[in-house]
Amino acid sequence: MAAGLQRFTDIAGEGGPRLDAASGEELLRVDRAASVALGRRAPEPPGTLFVTNRRVIWLSETEKGQGYAVDFLAITLHAVSRDPEAYPSPCIYTQIDAQDGSDEEAGGSDSEANGELQLAKISEMRIILSDPGQLDALFDVFCHCAELNPDPNAGKYVNHISYLKKSSSTSLVLS
């Protein structure tokens, strides 16, 4: 599986992310004045969100050279969230494949050590756009990118489950 959330500092001369054009990475969407909230932390000050056909990249507007990136292979779930009880702002909610001992499992304390954010342990990211009316369009791009980047292990599990169902009369419960 792809590495989870990572720091991103590979910034091109014009201030956007340097893309891996040799491997076919293409920019699909840009949203300015977008914030990200990592785990249970408060949202970062607004920055620019770049969505490519391979990853999601957020670059800070206030702290030049600071940013985060996550490959679509590491995003295990994405959804539009508009429920104020779940989160105060409408957003794209994502779950990220994180190292064991993620921020939620440890009550939020394991994602920081000595005041330093441990990105590999962040298992949730929320993307808050300045125009919430654009969330559905961003969600559609996420869906498209998820189709472009299927889980390479998905077929293995489906085939294994099918075999179990065919060879056993007992129920299979996945947890």
Coordinates of all heavy atoms in Angstrom, one line a residue, residues 9-84:
T9 N 7.3 19.2 -0.2 CA 8.2 20.4 -0.4 C 8.7 20.6 -1.8 O 9.4 21.5 -2.1 CB 9.4 20.4 0.6 OG1 10.1 19.2 0.3 CG2 8.9 20.4 2.1
D10 N 8.3 19.7 -2.7 CA 8.8 19.7 -4.1 C 7.9 20.7 -4.9 O 7.0 20.4 -5.6 CB 8.7 18.3 -4.7 CG 9.5 18.2 -6.0 OD1 10.2 19.2 -6.3 OD2 9.3 17.2 -6.6
I11 N 8.3 22.0 -4.7 CA 7.5 23.1 -5.3 C 8.2 23.7 -6.5 O 9.4 24.0 -6.4 CB 7.3 24.2 -4.2 CG1 6.5 23.5 -3.1 CG2 6.5 25.4 -4.8 CD1 6.3 24.4 -1.9
A12 N 7.5 23.8 -7.6 CA 8.1 24.4 -8.8 C 8.2 25.9 -8.7 O 7.7 26.5 -7.8 CB 7.2 24.0 -10.0
G13 N 8.9 26.5 -9.7 CA 9.2 27.9 -9.7 C 8.0 28.8 -9.6 O 8.0 29.8 -9.0
E14 N 6.8 28.4 -10.2 CA 5.6 29.2 -10.1 C 4.8 29.0 -8.9 O 3.8 29.6 -8.7 CB 4.7 28.9 -11.4 CG 4.0 27.6 -11.3 CD 4.8 26.4 -11.7 OE1 5.9 26.5 -12.1 OE2 4.2 25.3 -11.6
G15 N 5.3 28.2 -7.9 CA 4.7 28.1 -6.6 C 3.8 26.9 -6.5 O 3.3 26.6 -5.4
G16 N 3.5 26.2 -7.6 CA 2.7 24.9 -7.6 C 3.6 23.7 -7.3 O 4.8 23.8 -7.3
P17 N 3.0 22.6 -7.2 CA 3.8 21.4 -7.0 C 4.5 20.9 -8.3 O 4.0 21.1 -9.4 CB 2.7 20.3 -6.6 CG 1.5 20.8 -7.2 CD 1.5 22.3 -7.2
R18 N 5.6 20.3 -8.1 CA 6.3 19.7 -9.2 C 5.7 18.4 -9.4 O 5.7 17.5 -8.5 CB 7.8 19.6 -8.9 CG 8.7 19.3 -10.1 CD 10.2 19.3 -9.8 NE 10.6 20.2 -8.9 CZ 10.9 21.5 -9.1 NH1 10.8 22.0 -10.3 NH2 11.3 22.3 -8.2
L19 N 5.2 18.1 -10.6 CA 4.5 16.9 -10.9 C 5.5 15.9 -11.6 O 6.5 16.3 -12.2 CB 3.3 17.1 -11.8 CG 2.3 18.1 -11.3 CD1 1.1 18.2 -12.3 CD2 1.8 17.7 -10.0
D20 N 5.2 14.6 -11.5 CA 6.0 13.6 -12.1 C 5.4 13.3 -13.5 O 4.8 12.3 -13.7 CB 6.0 12.3 -11.2 CG 6.9 11.3 -11.7 OD1 7.6 11.5 -12.7 OD2 6.9 10.2 -11.0
A21 N 5.7 14.2 -14.4 CA 5.2 14.1 -15.8 C 5.7 12.9 -16.5 O 5.0 12.3 -17.3 CB 5.5 15.4 -16.5
A22 N 6.9 12.4 -16.1 CA 7.5 11.2 -16.8 C 6.7 10.0 -16.5 O 6.6 9.1 -17.4 CB 8.9 11.0 -16.3
S23 N 6.0 10.0 -15.4 CA 5.1 8.8 -15.1 C 3.7 9.1 -15.4 O 2.8 8.3 -15.0 CB 5.3 8.4 -13.6 OG 4.7 9.3 -12.8
G24 N 3.4 10.2 -16.0 CA 2.0 10.5 -16.5 C 1.2 11.3 -15.5 O 0.0 11.4 -15.7
E25 N 1.8 11.9 -14.5 CA 1.0 12.6 -13.5 C 0.5 13.9 -14.1 O 1.3 14.7 -14.7 CB 1.8 12.9 -12.2 CG 1.0 13.6 -11.2 CD 1.7 13.8 -9.9 OE1 3.0 13.9 -9.9 OE2 1.1 13.9 -8.8
E26 N -0.8 14.2 -14.0 CA -1.4 15.4 -14.6 C -2.2 16.1 -13.5 O -2.9 15.5 -12.7 CB -2.3 15.0 -15.7 CG -1.6 14.3 -16.9 CD -2.6 13.9 -18.0 OE1 -3.8 14.2 -17.9 OE2 -2.1 13.1 -18.9
L27 N -2.2 17.4 -13.6 CA -3.0 18.3 -12.7 C -4.5 18.2 -13.2 O -4.7 18.5 -14.4 CB -2.5 19.7 -12.7 CG -3.1 20.7 -11.7 CD1 -3.0 20.2 -10.3 CD2 -2.5 22.0 -11.9
L28 N -5.4 17.9 -12.3 CA -6.8 17.9 -12.7 C -7.7 19.0 -12.1 O -8.7 19.3 -12.7 CB -7.4 16.5 -12.2 CG -6.8 15.3 -12.8 CD1 -7.5 14.0 -12.3 CD2 -6.8 15.3 -14.3
R29 N -7.3 19.5 -11.0 CA -8.1 20.5 -10.3 C -7.2 21.3 -9.3 O -6.3 20.8 -8.7 CB -9.2 19.8 -9.5 CG -10.2 20.8 -8.9 CD -11.3 20.1 -8.2 NE -12.1 21.1 -7.4 CZ -13.2 21.6 -7.8 NH1 -13.8 21.3 -8.9 NH2 -13.9 22.5 -7.0
V30 N -7.6 22.6 -9.2 CA -6.9 23.5 -8.3 C -8.0 24.3 -7.5 O -8.9 24.8 -8.1 CB -6.0 24.5 -9.0 CG1 -5.4 25.5 -8.0 CG2 -4.9 23.8 -9.8
D31 N -7.9 24.3 -6.2 CA -8.8 25.1 -5.4 C -8.0 26.0 -4.5 O -7.2 25.6 -3.6 CB -9.7 24.2 -4.5 CG -10.7 23.5 -5.3 OD1 -11.7 24.2 -5.6 OD2 -10.6 22.3 -5.6
R32 N -8.2 27.3 -4.6 CA -7.5 28.3 -3.8 C -8.3 28.5 -2.5 O -9.5 28.3 -2.5 CB -7.3 29.6 -4.5 CG -6.6 29.4 -5.9 CD -5.6 30.4 -6.2 NE -4.9 30.2 -7.5 CZ -3.9 29.4 -7.7 NH1 -3.3 28.8 -6.7 NH2 -3.3 29.2 -8.9
A33 N -7.6 29.0 -1.5 CA -8.2 29.3 -0.2 C -8.9 28.1 0.4 O -10.0 28.1 1.0 CB -9.2 30.5 -0.3
A34 N -8.2 26.9 0.3 CA -8.7 25.7 0.8 C -7.9 25.4 2.1 O -6.7 25.6 2.1 CB -8.5 24.5 -0.2
S35 N -8.6 24.9 3.1 CA -7.9 24.5 4.4 C -7.9 23.0 4.5 O -8.8 22.3 3.9 CB -8.5 25.1 5.6 OG -8.5 26.5 5.5
V36 N -7.0 22.4 5.2 CA -7.0 21.0 5.6 C -7.0 20.9 7.1 O -6.3 21.7 7.8 CB -5.9 20.2 5.0 CG1 -6.0 20.2 3.4 CG2 -4.5 20.7 5.4
A37 N -7.7 19.9 7.6 CA -7.7 19.6 9.0 C -7.2 18.2 9.1 O -7.8 17.3 8.6 CB -9.0 19.8 9.7
L38 N -6.0 18.0 9.8 CA -5.4 16.7 9.9 C -5.8 16.0 11.2 O -5.5 16.6 12.3 CB -3.9 16.8 9.8 CG -3.4 17.5 8.5 CD1 -1.9 17.7 8.6 CD2 -3.9 16.9 7.3
G39 N -6.4 14.8 11.2 CA -6.8 14.1 12.4 C -7.8 15.0 13.1 O -8.7 15.5 12.6
R40 N -7.5 15.2 14.4 CA -8.4 16.0 15.3 C -7.9 17.4 15.5 O -8.4 18.1 16.3 CB -8.5 15.3 16.6 CG -9.2 13.9 16.5 CD -9.3 13.3 17.8 NE -9.9 11.9 17.6 CZ -10.1 11.1 18.6 NH1 -9.8 11.4 19.8 NH2 -10.6 9.9 18.3
R41 N -6.9 17.8 14.7 CA -6.3 19.1 14.8 C -7.3 20.2 14.2 O -8.1 19.9 13.3 CB -5.0 19.2 14.2 CG -3.9 18.3 14.8 CD -2.7 18.2 14.0 NE -2.1 19.4 13.6 CZ -1.1 20.0 14.2 NH1 -0.5 19.4 15.2 NH2 -0.6 21.2 13.8
A42 N -7.1 21.4 14.6 CA -7.8 22.5 14.0 C -7.3 22.7 12.5 O -6.2 22.3 12.2 CB -7.5 23.8 14.7
P43 N -8.1 23.3 11.7 CA -7.7 23.4 10.3 C -6.5 24.3 10.1 O -6.3 25.3 10.9 CB -8.9 24.1 9.6 CG -10.1 23.9 10.5 CD -9.5 23.7 11.9
E44 N -5.7 24.0 9.2 CA -4.5 24.8 8.8 C -5.0 26.1 8.2 O -6.2 26.2 7.7 CB -3.6 24.1 7.8 CG -3.1 22.8 8.2 CD -1.8 22.9 9.1 OE1 -1.2 24.0 9.1 OE2 -1.6 22.0 9.9
P45 N -4.3 27.2 8.2 CA -4.7 28.4 7.5 C -4.8 28.1 6.0 O -4.2 27.2 5.5 CB -3.5 29.4 7.8 CG -2.8 28.9 9.0 CD -3.0 27.4 9.0
P46 N -5.7 28.9 5.3 CA -5.9 28.6 3.9 C -4.7 28.4 3.1 O -3.7 29.1 3.3 CB -6.8 29.8 3.5 CG -7.4 30.3 4.7 CD -6.4 30.1 5.8
G47 N -4.8 27.5 2.1 CA -3.7 27.3 1.2 C -4.3 26.9 -0.2 O -5.5 27.2 -0.4
T48 N -3.6 26.3 -1.0 CA -4.1 25.9 -2.3 C -4.1 24.3 -2.4 O -3.1 23.7 -2.1 CB -3.2 26.5 -3.4 OG1 -3.2 27.9 -3.3 CG2 -3.8 26.1 -4.8
L49 N -5.2 23.8 -2.9 CA -5.3 22.4 -3.0 C -5.1 22.0 -4.5 O -5.7 22.7 -5.4 CB -6.7 21.9 -2.6 CG -7.0 20.5 -2.7 CD1 -6.3 19.7 -1.6 CD2 -8.5 20.2 -2.6
F50 N -4.2 21.1 -4.7 CA -4.0 20.6 -6.1 C -4.3 19.1 -6.1 O -3.9 18.3 -5.3 CB -2.5 20.7 -6.4 CG -2.0 22.1 -6.4 CD1 -1.5 22.7 -5.2 CD2 -2.0 22.9 -7.6 CE1 -1.0 24.0 -5.2 CE2 -1.5 24.2 -7.5 CZ -1.0 24.7 -6.3
V51 N -5.2 18.7 -7.1 CA -5.5 17.3 -7.2 C -5.0 16.9 -8.6 O -5.3 17.5 -9.6 CB -7.1 17.1 -7.2 CG1 -7.4 15.7 -7.3 CG2 -7.6 17.7 -5.9
T52 N -4.2 15.8 -8.5 CA -3.6 15.2 -9.7 C -4.3 13.9 -9.9 O -5.0 13.4 -9.1 CB -2.1 15.1 -9.7 OG1 -1.7 14.0 -8.9 CG2 -1.4 16.3 -9.2
N53 N -4.0 13.2 -11.0 CA -4.5 11.9 -11.2 C -3.9 10.9 -10.3 O -4.3 9.7 -10.3 CB -4.4 11.5 -12.7 CG -2.9 11.5 -13.2 OD1 -2.1 12.3 -12.7 ND2 -2.6 10.7 -14.2
R54 N -2.9 11.3 -9.5 CA -2.2 10.3 -8.6 C -2.3 10.7 -7.2 O -2.2 9.8 -6.3 CB -0.7 10.3 -9.0 CG -0.4 9.9 -10.4 CD -0.1 8.4 -10.5 NE -0.1 7.9 -11.8 CZ 1.0 7.8 -12.6 NH1 2.1 8.3 -12.1 NH2 0.9 7.4 -13.8
R55 N -2.4 12.0 -6.8 CA -2.4 12.4 -5.4 C -3.1 13.7 -5.2 O -3.4 14.4 -6.1 CB -0.9 12.4 -4.9 CG -0.1 13.4 -5.8 CD 1.4 13.2 -5.5 NE 2.2 13.9 -6.5 CZ 3.4 14.3 -6.3 NH1 4.1 14.0 -5.2 NH2 4.1 14.9 -7.3
V56 N -3.3 13.9 -3.9 CA -3.8 15.2 -3.4 C -2.7 16.0 -2.7 O -2.0 15.4 -1.9 CB -5.0 14.9 -2.4 CG1 -5.5 16.3 -1.8 CG2 -6.1 14.1 -3.0
I57 N -2.5 17.2 -3.1 CA -1.4 18.0 -2.6 C -2.0 19.3 -2.0 O -2.8 20.0 -2.7 CB -0.4 18.3 -3.6 CG1 0.2 17.0 -4.2 CG2 0.7 19.2 -3.0 CD1 1.0 17.2 -5.5
W58 N -1.7 19.7 -0.8 CA -2.1 21.0 -0.3 C -0.8 21.8 0.1 O 0.1 21.3 0.8 CB -3.0 20.8 1.0 CG -3.4 22.1 1.6 CD1 -4.4 22.8 1.3 CD2 -2.7 22.7 2.7 NE1 -4.4 24.0 2.1 CE2 -3.4 23.9 3.0 CE3 -1.5 22.4 3.5 CZ2 -3.0 24.8 4.0 CZ3 -1.1 23.3 4.4 CH2 -1.9 24.5 4.7
L59 N -0.8 23.0 -0.4 CA 0.3 23.9 -0.1 C -0.1 25.1 0.7 O -1.1 25.8 0.3 CB 1.0 24.4 -1.4 CG 1.6 23.2 -2.2 CD1 2.2 23.8 -3.5 CD2 2.7 22.5 -1.4
S60 N 0.6 25.4 1.8 CA 0.2 26.6 2.6 C 0.5 27.9 1.8 O 1.5 28.0 1.1 CB 1.1 26.6 3.9 OG 0.8 27.7 4.6
E61 N -0.4 28.8 2.0 CA -0.2 30.2 1.5 C 0.6 31.1 2.4 O 1.3 32.0 2.0 CB -1.6 30.8 1.2 CG -2.5 30.0 0.3 CD -2.7 30.6 -1.1 OE1 -2.5 31.9 -1.2 OE2 -3.0 29.9 -2.0
T62 N 0.4 30.8 3.7 CA 1.1 31.6 4.7 C 2.5 31.2 5.0 O 3.4 32.0 5.3 CB 0.3 31.6 6.1 OG1 0.2 30.3 6.5 CG2 -1.0 32.3 5.9
E63 N 2.8 29.9 5.0 CA 4.1 29.3 5.2 C 4.6 28.7 3.9 O 4.5 27.5 3.7 CB 4.1 28.3 6.4 CG 3.8 28.9 7.7 CD 3.9 27.9 8.8 OE1 4.8 27.1 8.8 OE2 2.9 27.9 9.7
K64 N 5.3 29.5 3.1 CA 5.7 29.1 1.8 C 6.7 27.9 2.0 O 7.5 27.8 2.9 CB 6.5 30.2 1.1 CG 5.6 31.4 0.7 CD 4.5 31.0 -0.2 CE 3.6 32.2 -0.5 NZ 2.3 31.8 -1.1
G65 N 6.5 26.9 1.1 CA 7.3 25.7 1.2 C 6.8 24.6 2.1 O 7.3 23.5 2.2
Q66 N 5.6 24.9 2.8 CA 5.0 23.9 3.7 C 3.8 23.3 3.0 O 3.0 24.0 2.4 CB 4.6 24.5 5.0 CG 3.8 23.4 5.9 CD 3.3 24.0 7.1 OE1 3.9 24.9 7.7 NE2 2.1 23.6 7.5
G67 N 3.7 22.0 3.0 CA 2.6 21.4 2.4 C 2.5 19.9 2.8 O 3.3 19.3 3.5
Y68 N 1.4 19.3 2.3 CA 1.1 17.9 2.6 C 0.7 17.2 1.3 O 0.1 17.9 0.5 CB 0.0 17.7 3.7 CG 0.3 18.4 4.9 CD1 -0.5 19.5 5.3 CD2 1.3 18.0 5.8 CE1 -0.2 20.2 6.5 CE2 1.5 18.7 7.0 CZ 0.8 19.8 7.3 OH 1.0 20.5 8.5
A69 N 0.9 15.9 1.2 CA 0.5 15.2 0.0 C 0.1 13.8 0.5 O 0.6 13.2 1.4 CB 1.6 15.1 -1.0
V70 N -0.9 13.2 -0.2 CA -1.3 11.8 0.0 C -1.6 11.2 -1.4 O -2.3 11.8 -2.2 CB -2.4 11.7 1.0 CG1 -3.7 12.4 0.5 CG2 -2.7 10.3 1.3
D71 N -1.1 10.0 -1.6 CA -1.4 9.3 -2.9 C -2.9 8.8 -2.8 O -3.3 8.4 -1.7 CB -0.5 8.1 -3.0 CG 0.9 8.5 -3.4 OD1 1.2 9.6 -3.7 OD2 1.8 7.6 -3.3
F72 N -3.5 8.7 -3.9 CA -4.9 8.2 -4.0 C -4.9 6.8 -3.5 O -5.9 6.3 -2.9 CB -5.5 8.4 -5.3 CG -6.2 9.7 -5.5 CD1 -5.7 10.8 -6.1 CD2 -7.5 9.9 -4.9 CE1 -6.3 12.0 -6.2 CE2 -8.1 11.2 -4.9 CZ -7.5 12.2 -5.6
L73 N -3.9 6.0 -3.7 CA -3.8 4.6 -3.2 C -3.9 4.5 -1.7 O -4.3 3.5 -1.2 CB -2.5 3.9 -3.7 CG -2.5 3.5 -5.2 CD1 -1.1 3.0 -5.5 CD2 -3.6 2.5 -5.5
A74 N -3.5 5.6 -1.0 CA -3.6 5.6 0.5 C -4.9 6.1 1.0 O -5.1 6.0 2.2 CB -2.4 6.4 1.0
I75 N -5.7 6.7 0.1 CA -7.0 7.2 0.6 C -8.0 6.0 0.5 O -8.3 5.5 -0.6 CB -7.5 8.4 -0.3 CG1 -6.5 9.6 -0.1 CG2 -8.9 8.8 0.1 CD1 -6.8 10.7 -1.0
T76 N -8.4 5.6 1.7 CA -9.3 4.4 1.7 C -10.8 4.7 1.7 O -11.6 3.9 1.4 CB -9.0 3.6 3.0 OG1 -9.2 4.4 4.2 CG2 -7.6 3.1 3.0
L77 N -11.1 6.0 1.9 CA -12.5 6.4 1.9 C -12.5 7.9 1.7 O -11.7 8.7 2.2 CB -13.2 6.1 3.2 CG -14.6 6.5 3.4 CD1 -15.4 5.4 4.0 CD2 -14.8 7.8 4.2
H78 N -13.5 8.4 0.9 CA -13.7 9.9 0.8 C -15.2 10.1 0.7 O -16.0 9.3 0.1 CB -13.0 10.5 -0.4 CG -13.4 9.9 -1.8 ND1 -13.0 8.7 -2.3 CD2 -14.3 10.4 -2.7 CE1 -13.5 8.5 -3.5 NE2 -14.4 9.5 -3.7
A79 N -15.7 11.2 1.2 CA -17.1 11.5 1.3 C -17.3 13.0 1.5 O -16.4 13.7 2.0 CB -17.8 10.8 2.4
V80 N -18.4 13.5 1.0 CA -18.8 14.9 1.3 C -19.5 14.9 2.7 O -20.4 14.0 3.0 CB -19.8 15.4 0.3 CG1 -20.3 16.8 0.7 CG2 -19.1 15.5 -1.1
S81 N -19.1 15.7 3.6 CA -19.7 15.8 4.9 C -20.3 17.2 5.1 O -19.6 18.2 5.0 CB -18.6 15.6 6.0 OG -19.1 15.8 7.3
R82 N -21.6 17.2 5.4 CA -22.3 18.5 5.6 C -22.9 18.5 7.0 O -23.7 19.5 7.3 CB -23.3 18.8 4.5 CG -22.7 19.0 3.1 CD -23.8 19.4 2.1 NE -23.2 19.7 0.8 CZ -23.0 18.9 -0.1 NH1 -23.5 17.6 0.0 NH2 -22.5 19.2 -1.3
D83 N -22.7 17.5 7.8 CA -23.4 17.4 9.1 C -22.6 18.2 10.1 O -21.5 17.8 10.4 CB -23.4 15.9 9.5 CG -24.1 15.7 10.8 OD1 -24.5 16.7 11.5 OD2 -24.2 14.5 11.2
P84 N -23.2 19.3 10.6 CA -22.5 20.1 11.6 C -22.2 19.4 12.9 O -21.3 19.8 13.7 CB -23.4 21.3 11.8 CG -24.7 20.9 11.3 CD -24.5 19.8 10.3

